Amino acid sequence: MESDIEESLKKRLRKSNFPLDSSRKQLEQLSGRAYAVMGEVNFMQEEDIRLETTRARFSNVLKRHSELTERLSRDSDKMVFERLQKEFDAARASQTQEIFLDGEQWNDGLLATIRERVHMEADRKAMPGDANILAAPHFQEKITYKVGSKVICCLEGARIGIQYETSFAGEPCELYHCVLESKSFLEKMTVLEHTIPFFLPVREAENDLLSSNAMKFIDHVGELLQAYVDRREQVRLIKELYGNQIGELYHSLPYHMIEFVLDDFECKVTVTLRYADLISVLPTRIRVLAWPVHQSKKFTMNRKENGNASGQPIPARLTYAEDALRTMSLPEAYAEIVLNLPRALQQIFQQRVPT
């Protein structure tokens, strides 16, 4: 390519009788421009290759994630749920009293009483013959305790069962179970089995809380479950209501990392949400960016002013959208974002039009 340009300039030089030095300078300028253009093209191609590689890797991760979820939700887990649910139903059916607790009524003293009951019942059944006459009437009662969205009951074999009821927008969702084993008052209680999703840190909570504060452990697990259901249902609802506007949506298993893209506008809007912990229902780290997709004049940046020599589009940060996501539920914030998006984009990109 360079030799053709040089030969063409030499022919022009012979026809016009221009000095040779001037022609060489023109040739060097043209060659420099050619190298600059080729360098810019190569840079953009490398960026595209890296983007495609990242996208392919991420797609592979999503595929493995789906396979893992399916494998960990196999029939054996469903059988455990059905068995425990039948056991909880039987315990509630045979109860002689259900006590509703609130506030200070739910305390360590009550939990100690429940633990005493399960040991008394286990000892009574372990005695030969009919030991009912040896048991005090107070401990012959089968009491179930209702604490908020938790149902606590005594199960056979020195076990304490907790059934967690979850809900969203006032509607009931899944039930979850956690069974604590209490071998003796001298030994700490342990989690014998549960139906809580594997990606929620039940074992970590057991190690940190159960031996020192069993009541706090029970409450914490309930908070983990309810927050997980809240985040999951918020995502489900925006997919159900606005699925035609959402191009891509990714999330972690516990829904504490969520990303989605809005494609139904003049810009490609990317939303990234991170939650401080697994009991949060509102995100704390939020980033909403609008990426120009139309190469029209109003979306073109002044390269010299912005130092963007490659001409790549520069995103605009939508702070009003971030504020909405920080204070509202995801469906409410989404509606607020979409309602004000056209005006916000117009204001932002009008300021970027070069004068």
Side-chain angles (χ1 to χ4, degrees):
M1 179 179 177
E2 294 179 30
S3 59
D4 293 339
I5 295 174
E6 188 173 358
E7 185 64 28
S8 175
L9 287 174
K10 287 180 179 180
K11 289 180 180 179
R12 291 182 184 179
L13 178 62
R14 285 194 292 268
K15 290 181 180 180
S16 58
N17 294 323
F18 284 164
L20 184 60
D21 291 342
S22 176
S23 299
R24 285 180 176 174
K25 288 181 180 179
Q26 292 180 7
L27 176 61
E28 291 173 358
Q29 290 176 356
L30 287 173
S31 299
R33 290 177 185 174
Y35 279 123
V37 172
M38 291 299 295
E40 186 172 324
V41 170
N42 290 336
F43 172 78
M44 295 177 67
Q45 289 176 343
E46 290 174 1
E47 286 292 314
D48 290 341
I49 292 172
R50 282 198 292 266
L51 182 61
E52 288 301 320
T53 302
T54 302
R55 185 181 294 274
R57 289 177 178 174
F58 192 54
S59 297
N60 187 42
V61 170
L62 289 176
K63 182 180 178 182
R64 292 172 60 189
H65 163 268
S66 178
E67 293 172 352
L68 178 63
T69 303
E70 180 66 24
R71 191 167 74 247
L72 292 170
S73 300
R74 59 184 62 176
D75 292 340
S76 60
D77 294 333
K78 296 177 182 177
M79 291 173 62
V80 171
F81 175 86
E82 291 173 358
R83 176 174 55 79
L84 287 179
Q85 185 59 42
K86 288 180 180 178
E87 195 168 356
F88 273 82
D89 289 342
R92 298 193 73 176
S94 63
Q95 70 185 22
T96 58
Q97 185 181 4
E98 185 172 67
I99 299 177
F100 291 84
L101 305 173
D102 57 7
E104 296 181 356
Q105 292 178 316
W106 168 234
N107 52 48
D108 292 326
L110 177 65
L111 193 58
T113 300
I114 297 173
R115 195 174 181 184
E116 184 180 6
R117 283 182 179 279
V118 299
H119 282 288
M120 291 285 291
E121 181 66 15
D123 292 342
R124 183 183 66 81
K125 290 193 173 184
M127 294 178 66
D130 188 3
N132 288 333
I133 57 174
L134 300 177
H138 175 68
F139 285 99
Q140 285 184 346
E141 293 182 326
K142 293 186 176 181
I143 302 175
T144 299
Y145 299 90
K146 188 79 164 61
V147 187
S149 61
K150 300 180 289 290
V151 177
I152 304 173
C153 58
C154 302
L155 302 177
E156 294 185 2
R159 295 175 303 149
I160 298 174
I162 305 102
Q163 179 176 271
Y164 295 95
E165 302 170 350
T166 61
S167 62
F168 179 72
E171 296 296 325
C173 294
E174 295 92 341
L175 297 175
Y176 298 97
H177 311 92
C178 183
V179 178
L180 305 180
E181 185 179 36
S182 177
K183 294 182 179 179
S184 73
F185 283 106
L186 299 178
E187 297 182 39
K188 68 176 184 178
M189 289 190 292
T190 58
V191 176
L192 184 62
E193 57 183 342
H194 63 82
T195 60
I196 297 166
F198 71 93
F199 44 78
L200 296 181
V202 177
R203 293 301 175 186
E204 289 84 346
E206 177 185 3
N207 295 333
D208 295 340
L209 299 174
L210 187 54
S211 60
S212 59
N213 193 330
M215 187 184 77
K216 190 173 181 180
F217 165 81
I218 294 172
D219 290 342
H220 180 68
V221 171
E223 292 172 354
L224 284 173
L225 288 167
Q226 185 56 57
Y228 157 67
V229 170
D230 274 335
R231 294 190 300 268
R232 184 198 66 195
E233 290 301 299
Q234 288 182 47
V235 171
R236 180 194 62 79
L237 194 55
I238 66 166
K239 289 170 64 177
E240 181 180 307
L241 297 176
Y242 310 106
N244 60 321
Q245 298 175 347
I246 299 175
E248 302 172 12
L249 191 151
Y250 308 107
H251 60 81
S252 60
L253 284 174
Y255 289 83
H256 71 314
M257 295 187 292
I258 302 169
E259 296 183 4
F260 59 90
V261 177
L262 307 183
D263 280 334
D264 195 29
F265 301 94
E266 290 182 315
C267 281
K268 182 176 182 179
V269 180
T270 59
V271 180
T272 303
L273 307 176
R274 299 290 185 270
Y275 294 77
D277 48 50
L278 293 179
I279 61 173
S280 299
V281 294
L282 291 175
T284 52
R285 293 168 52 196
I286 305 165
R287 180 63 62 91
V288 182
L289 299 175
W291 298 79
V293 293
H294 297 304
Q295 299 302 319
S296 59
K297 182 178 180 181
K298 69 175 181 177
F299 292 136
T300 303
M301 298 293 298
N302 189 318
R303 295 185 183 184
K304 292 183 180 180
E305 292 180 359
N306 294 278
N308 187 20
S310 64
Q312 295 290 326
I314 296 178
R317 189 169 180 179
L318 302 180
T319 55
Y320 87 94
E322 295 176 358
D323 292 339
L325 289 162
R326 193 172 287 110
T327 57
M328 302 179 185
S329 69
L330 188 52
E332 293 173 327
Y334 187 100
E336 181 75 13
I337 292 169
V338 172
L339 179 64
N340 296 287
L341 186 58
R343 183 176 60 185
L345 293 177
Q346 184 179 16
Q347 292 176 351
I348 290 172
F349 290 110
Q350 275 183 347
Q351 297 173 0
R352 293 187 171 188
V353 174
T355 56

PDB file of all heavy atoms in Angstrom, residues 107-119 185:
ATOM      1  N   ASN A 107     -37.758 -15.364  73.968  1.00  0.00           N
ATOM      2  CA  ASN A 107     -36.484 -15.110  74.629  1.00  0.00           C
ATOM      3  C   ASN A 107     -35.762 -16.427  74.904  1.00  0.00           C
ATOM      4  O   ASN A 107     -36.271 -17.517  74.625  1.00  0.00           O
ATOM      5  CB  ASN A 107     -36.702 -14.323  75.927  1.00  0.00           C
ATOM      6  CG  ASN A 107     -37.743 -14.979  76.816  1.00  0.00           C
ATOM      7  OD1 ASN A 107     -37.692 -16.183  77.064  1.00  0.00           O
ATOM      8  ND2 ASN A 107     -38.714 -14.191  77.290  1.00  0.00           N
ATOM      9  N   ASP A 108     -34.575 -16.308  75.470  1.00  0.00           N
ATOM     10  CA  ASP A 108     -33.756 -17.494  75.745  1.00  0.00           C
ATOM     11  C   ASP A 108     -34.410 -18.412  76.767  1.00  0.00           C
ATOM     12  O   ASP A 108     -34.244 -19.638  76.708  1.00  0.00           O
ATOM     13  CB  ASP A 108     -32.371 -17.065  76.244  1.00  0.00           C
ATOM     14  CG  ASP A 108     -31.553 -16.390  75.159  1.00  0.00           C
ATOM     15  OD1 ASP A 108     -31.700 -16.790  73.983  1.00  0.00           O
ATOM     16  OD2 ASP A 108     -30.776 -15.470  75.464  1.00  0.00           O
ATOM     17  N   GLY A 109     -35.146 -17.827  77.717  1.00  0.00           N
ATOM     18  CA  GLY A 109     -35.812 -18.651  78.724  1.00  0.00           C
ATOM     19  C   GLY A 109     -36.849 -19.571  78.106  1.00  0.00           C
ATOM     20  O   GLY A 109     -36.963 -20.753  78.475  1.00  0.00           O
ATOM     21  N   LEU A 110     -37.610 -19.049  77.150  1.00  0.00           N
ATOM     22  CA  LEU A 110     -38.608 -19.878  76.478  1.00  0.00           C
ATOM     23  C   LEU A 110     -37.936 -20.989  75.679  1.00  0.00           C
ATOM     24  O   LEU A 110     -38.398 -22.136  75.673  1.00  0.00           O
ATOM     25  CB  LEU A 110     -39.470 -19.016  75.563  1.00  0.00           C
ATOM     26  CG  LEU A 110     -40.511 -19.779  74.748  1.00  0.00           C
ATOM     27  CD1 LEU A 110     -41.555 -20.406  75.661  1.00  0.00           C
ATOM     28  CD2 LEU A 110     -41.179 -18.879  73.733  1.00  0.00           C
ATOM     29  N   LEU A 111     -36.835 -20.654  75.011  1.00  0.00           N
ATOM     30  CA  LEU A 111     -36.128 -21.672  74.239  1.00  0.00           C
ATOM     31  C   LEU A 111     -35.594 -22.770  75.154  1.00  0.00           C
ATOM     32  O   LEU A 111     -35.606 -23.958  74.796  1.00  0.00           O
ATOM     33  CB  LEU A 111     -34.987 -21.020  73.453  1.00  0.00           C
ATOM     34  CG  LEU A 111     -34.345 -21.873  72.363  1.00  0.00           C
ATOM     35  CD1 LEU A 111     -35.384 -22.325  71.342  1.00  0.00           C
ATOM     36  CD2 LEU A 111     -33.233 -21.097  71.667  1.00  0.00           C
ATOM     37  N   ALA A 112     -35.151 -22.393  76.359  1.00  0.00           N
ATOM     38  CA  ALA A 112     -34.697 -23.395  77.326  1.00  0.00           C
ATOM     39  C   ALA A 112     -35.854 -24.295  77.755  1.00  0.00           C
ATOM     40  O   ALA A 112     -35.684 -25.512  77.944  1.00  0.00           O
ATOM     41  CB  ALA A 112     -34.079 -22.704  78.535  1.00  0.00           C
ATOM     42  N   THR A 113     -37.044 -23.716  77.884  1.00  0.00           N
ATOM     43  CA  THR A 113     -38.228 -24.508  78.230  1.00  0.00           C
ATOM     44  C   THR A 113     -38.560 -25.505  77.126  1.00  0.00           C
ATOM     45  O   THR A 113     -38.885 -26.673  77.397  1.00  0.00           O
ATOM     46  CB  THR A 113     -39.428 -23.581  78.475  1.00  0.00           C
ATOM     47  OG1 THR A 113     -39.129 -22.695  79.557  1.00  0.00           O
ATOM     48  CG2 THR A 113     -40.677 -24.382  78.810  1.00  0.00           C
ATOM     49  N   ILE A 114     -38.482 -25.051  75.883  1.00  0.00           N
ATOM     50  CA  ILE A 114     -38.742 -25.952  74.754  1.00  0.00           C
ATOM     51  C   ILE A 114     -37.725 -27.083  74.742  1.00  0.00           C
ATOM     52  O   ILE A 114     -38.069 -28.258  74.530  1.00  0.00           O
ATOM     53  CB  ILE A 114     -38.697 -25.165  73.426  1.00  0.00           C
ATOM     54  CG1 ILE A 114     -39.806 -24.111  73.392  1.00  0.00           C
ATOM     55  CG2 ILE A 114     -38.816 -26.109  72.234  1.00  0.00           C
ATOM     56  CD1 ILE A 114     -39.736 -23.178  72.198  1.00  0.00           C
ATOM     57  N   ARG A 115     -36.492 -26.738  74.997  1.00  0.00           N
ATOM     58  CA  ARG A 115     -35.441 -27.758  75.016  1.00  0.00           C
ATOM     59  C   ARG A 115     -35.689 -28.762  76.144  1.00  0.00           C
ATOM     60  O   ARG A 115     -35.488 -29.976  75.979  1.00  0.00           O
ATOM     61  CB  ARG A 115     -34.089 -27.070  75.183  1.00  0.00           C
ATOM     62  CG  ARG A 115     -32.905 -27.957  74.874  1.00  0.00           C
ATOM     63  CD  ARG A 115     -31.614 -27.173  74.917  1.00  0.00           C
ATOM     64  NE  ARG A 115     -30.477 -28.022  74.604  1.00  0.00           N
ATOM     65  CZ  ARG A 115     -29.212 -27.609  74.640  1.00  0.00           C
ATOM     66  NH1 ARG A 115     -28.933 -26.359  74.979  1.00  0.00           N
ATOM     67  NH2 ARG A 115     -28.228 -28.443  74.343  1.00  0.00           N
ATOM     68  N   GLU A 116     -36.146 -28.271  77.285  1.00  0.00           N
ATOM     69  CA  GLU A 116     -36.455 -29.161  78.404  1.00  0.00           C
ATOM     70  C   GLU A 116     -37.600 -30.103  78.049  1.00  0.00           C
ATOM     71  O   GLU A 116     -37.583 -31.294  78.398  1.00  0.00           O
ATOM     72  CB  GLU A 116     -36.813 -28.324  79.637  1.00  0.00           C
ATOM     73  CG  GLU A 116     -37.047 -29.151  80.887  1.00  0.00           C
ATOM     74  CD  GLU A 116     -37.393 -28.290  82.085  1.00  0.00           C
ATOM     75  OE1 GLU A 116     -37.570 -27.063  81.915  1.00  0.00           O
ATOM     76  OE2 GLU A 116     -37.502 -28.852  83.193  1.00  0.00           O
ATOM     77  N   ARG A 117     -38.571 -29.584  77.329  1.00  0.00           N
ATOM     78  CA  ARG A 117     -39.710 -30.411  76.932  1.00  0.00           C
ATOM     79  C   ARG A 117     -39.279 -31.577  76.037  1.00  0.00           C
ATOM     80  O   ARG A 117     -39.731 -32.712  76.216  1.00  0.00           O
ATOM     81  CB  ARG A 117     -40.741 -29.554  76.188  1.00  0.00           C
ATOM     82  CG  ARG A 117     -41.589 -28.676  77.083  1.00  0.00           C
ATOM     83  CD  ARG A 117     -42.600 -27.898  76.252  1.00  0.00           C
ATOM     84  NE  ARG A 117     -43.437 -27.071  77.097  1.00  0.00           N
ATOM     85  CZ  ARG A 117     -44.497 -27.504  77.774  1.00  0.00           C
ATOM     86  NH1 ARG A 117     -44.840 -28.782  77.712  1.00  0.00           N
ATOM     87  NH2 ARG A 117     -45.199 -26.681  78.521  1.00  0.00           N
ATOM     88  N   VAL A 118     -38.426 -31.292  75.064  1.00  0.00           N
ATOM     89  CA  VAL A 118     -38.034 -32.367  74.144  1.00  0.00           C
ATOM     90  C   VAL A 118     -37.230 -33.436  74.878  1.00  0.00           C
ATOM     91  O   VAL A 118     -37.344 -34.634  74.573  1.00  0.00           O
ATOM     92  CB  VAL A 118     -37.249 -31.821  72.927  1.00  0.00           C
ATOM     93  CG1 VAL A 118     -38.097 -30.857  72.123  1.00  0.00           C
ATOM     94  CG2 VAL A 118     -35.945 -31.176  73.325  1.00  0.00           C
ATOM     95  N   HIS A 119     -36.434 -33.040  75.867  1.00  0.00           N
ATOM     96  CA  HIS A 119     -35.666 -34.026  76.629  1.00  0.00           C
ATOM     97  C   HIS A 119     -36.575 -34.839  77.542  1.00  0.00           C
ATOM     98  O   HIS A 119     -36.400 -36.060  77.685  1.00  0.00           O
ATOM     99  CB  HIS A 119     -34.574 -33.329  77.440  1.00  0.00           C
ATOM    100  CG  HIS A 119     -33.380 -32.941  76.627  1.00  0.00           C
ATOM    101  ND1 HIS A 119     -32.474 -33.858  76.145  1.00  0.00           N
ATOM    102  CD2 HIS A 119     -32.956 -31.725  76.186  1.00  0.00           C
ATOM    103  CE1 HIS A 119     -31.531 -33.227  75.456  1.00  0.00           C
ATOM    104  NE2 HIS A 119     -31.807 -31.927  75.466  1.00  0.00           N
ATOM    105  N   PHE A 185     -28.299 -31.197  77.873  1.00  0.00           N
ATOM    106  CA  PHE A 185     -28.099 -29.797  78.230  1.00  0.00           C
ATOM    107  C   PHE A 185     -26.623 -29.433  78.322  1.00  0.00           C
ATOM    108  O   PHE A 185     -26.266 -28.259  78.307  1.00  0.00           O
ATOM    109  CB  PHE A 185     -28.786 -29.495  79.567  1.00  0.00           C
ATOM    110  CG  PHE A 185     -30.274 -29.337  79.446  1.00  0.00           C
ATOM    111  CD1 PHE A 185     -31.128 -30.325  79.900  1.00  0.00           C
ATOM    112  CD2 PHE A 185     -30.813 -28.207  78.860  1.00  0.00           C
ATOM    113  CE1 PHE A 185     -32.501 -30.183  79.782  1.00  0.00           C
ATOM    114  CE2 PHE A 185     -32.186 -28.056  78.740  1.00  0.00           C
ATOM    115  CZ  PHE A 185     -33.034 -29.044  79.200  1.00  0.00           C
TER     116      PHE A 185
END
